């Protein structure tokens, strides 16, 4: 009976996607990320200047609108190169390749910031389900599931010792009116925050403009608790 109730309310969709993403991908690649970053930085010492940004920055648009090429989402985001590959035998596939791309983000003063960046790929599945009649997945349900996916993934990663300090989740909701460089501003806010954590700013320096990125506490307030699991912890990244 409980299983049927969960199936009807689709509570298990986002939860399962988050665990699959972690176990089948993040838990494999994130522990190896710092080594790849170290190697990249040694040959490109002027790019990844802050070690605090030596993380995989994972974009989580709550609309589940995922671009295969980030440049199409925002022209201020430009592909630079790939980090060194990780090759493993996985589920019967010999020499399966895992790799991450480094991007240059152009700010308002035409300066470039660099980071490893990608979308959370399970969001493509949520979007596809909302477009498929067989899944009977409405746009509203997709939004709720995207929020639940983020909260679940955040909680999983917080408890993972192997992945500590190797990721940055960037969950956001696009503005109602199209903004050409909304995404690059969101990413830059996170990069600046991390940079300031390593190199504290002087007291008289005005604080950076607040990001519109959503945190778990905000997501909890927006999700009805009537038919979803209890909210997860909401403290930080």
């Amino acid at each position: 009976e409980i299983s049927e109730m969960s199936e009807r309310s689709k509570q298990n969709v986002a939860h399962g996607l988050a665990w699959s993403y972690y176990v089948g991908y993040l838990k494999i690649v994130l522990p190896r990320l710092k080594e790849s970053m170290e190697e990249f930085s040694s040959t490109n010492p002027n790019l990844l200047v802050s070690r605090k940004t030596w993380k995989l920055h994972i974009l989580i648009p709550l609309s589940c609108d995922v671009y295969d090429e980030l440049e199409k989402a925002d022209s201020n985001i430009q592909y630079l190169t790939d980090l060194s590959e990780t090759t493993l035998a996985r589920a019967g596939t010999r020499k399966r390749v895992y790799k991450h791309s480094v991007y240059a983000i152009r700010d308002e003063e035409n300066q470039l910031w660099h980071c490893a960046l990608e979308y959370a790929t399970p969001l493509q599945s949520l979007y596809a389900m909302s477009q498929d009649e067989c899944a009977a997945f409405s746009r509203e349900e997709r939004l709720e599931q995207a929020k639940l996916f983020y909260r679940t993934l955040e909680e999983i990663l917080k408890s993972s010792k192997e992945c500590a300090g190797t990721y940055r989740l960037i969950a956001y909701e696009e503005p109602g009116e199209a903004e050409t460089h909304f995404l690059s501003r969101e990413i830059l806010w996170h990069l600046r925050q991390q940079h300031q954590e390593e190199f504290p700013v002087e007291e008289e320096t005005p604080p950076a403009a607040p990001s519109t990125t959503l945190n778990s506490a905000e997501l909890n307030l927006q999700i009805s608790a009537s038919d979803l699991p209890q909210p997860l912890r909401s403290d930080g990244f």
Side-chain angles (χ1 to χ4, degrees), residues 62-77:
L62 298 183
S63 67
C64 299
D65 193 4
V66 172
Y67 289 80
D68 290 327
E69 298 179 20
L70 277 164
E71 294 88 343
K72 293 181 179 179
D74 190 323
S75 60
N76 278 350
I77 305 172

Side-chain angles (χ1 to χ4, degrees), residues 196-213:
Q196 291 173 8
E197 290 169 5
E198 185 169 4
F199 305 103
V201 295
E202 298 296 331
E203 291 184 2
E204 62 269 16
T205 302
S211 169
T212 56
T213 301

Side-chain angles (χ1 to χ4, degrees), residues 54-158:
W54 289 16
K55 300 173 182 177
L56 181 61
H57 296 76
I58 303 172
L59 300 175
I60 305 179
L62 298 183
S63 67
C64 299
D65 193 4
V66 172
Y67 289 80
D68 290 327
E69 298 179 20
L70 277 164
E71 294 88 343
K72 293 181 179 179
D74 190 323
S75 60
N76 278 350
I77 305 172
Q78 294 294 320
Y79 167 78
L80 183 64
T81 187
D82 292 328
L83 296 176
S84 58
E85 299 177 350
T86 296
T87 304
L88 299 171
R90 185 75 176 169
T93 301
R94 300 293 183 89
K95 298 182 179 180
R96 176 167 290 183
V97 175
Y98 300 87
K99 66 179 180 180
H100 309 289
S101 296
V102 176
Y103 287 84
I105 319 296
R106 189 176 302 277
D107 66 16
E108 302 83 357
E109 298 178 355
N110 216 32
Q111 300 297 312
L112 296 178
W113 299 63
H114 300 86
C115 67
L117 182 67
E118 62 188 54
Y119 284 103
T121 53
L123 296 179
Q124 289 181 311
S125 297
L126 284 177
Y127 187 85
M129 289 177 70
S130 69
Q131 303 298 308
D132 194 315
E133 293 182 2
C134 295
F137 215 56
S138 70
R139 182 177 179 180
E140 291 74 20
E141 287 171 326
R142 183 184 72 197
L143 177 60
E144 297 297 307
Q145 289 299 312
K147 294 174 182 178
L148 183 57
F149 170 82
Y150 168 59
R151 292 190 356 244
T152 304
L153 180 62
E154 183 184 43
E155 186 69 12
I156 293 170
L157 287 170
K158 281 179 182 177

Side-chain angles (χ1 to χ4, degrees), residues 136-190:
F137 215 56
S138 70
R139 182 177 179 180
E140 291 74 20
E141 287 171 326
R142 183 184 72 197
L143 177 60
E144 297 297 307
Q145 289 299 312
K147 294 174 182 178
L148 183 57
F149 170 82
Y150 168 59
R151 292 190 356 244
T152 304
L153 180 62
E154 183 184 43
E155 186 69 12
I156 293 170
L157 287 170
K158 281 179 182 177
S159 302
S160 173
K161 295 180 180 179
E162 301 98 321
C163 299
T166 62
Y167 67 92
R168 181 89 171 190
L169 301 182
I170 305 178
Y172 58 91
E173 191 163 13
E174 293 89 338
E177 297 182 1
E179 294 184 25
T180 307
H181 300 303
F182 169 79
L183 182 54
S184 58
R185 287 198 301 271
E186 289 297 306
I187 298 167
L188 285 167
W189 186 87
H190 280 269

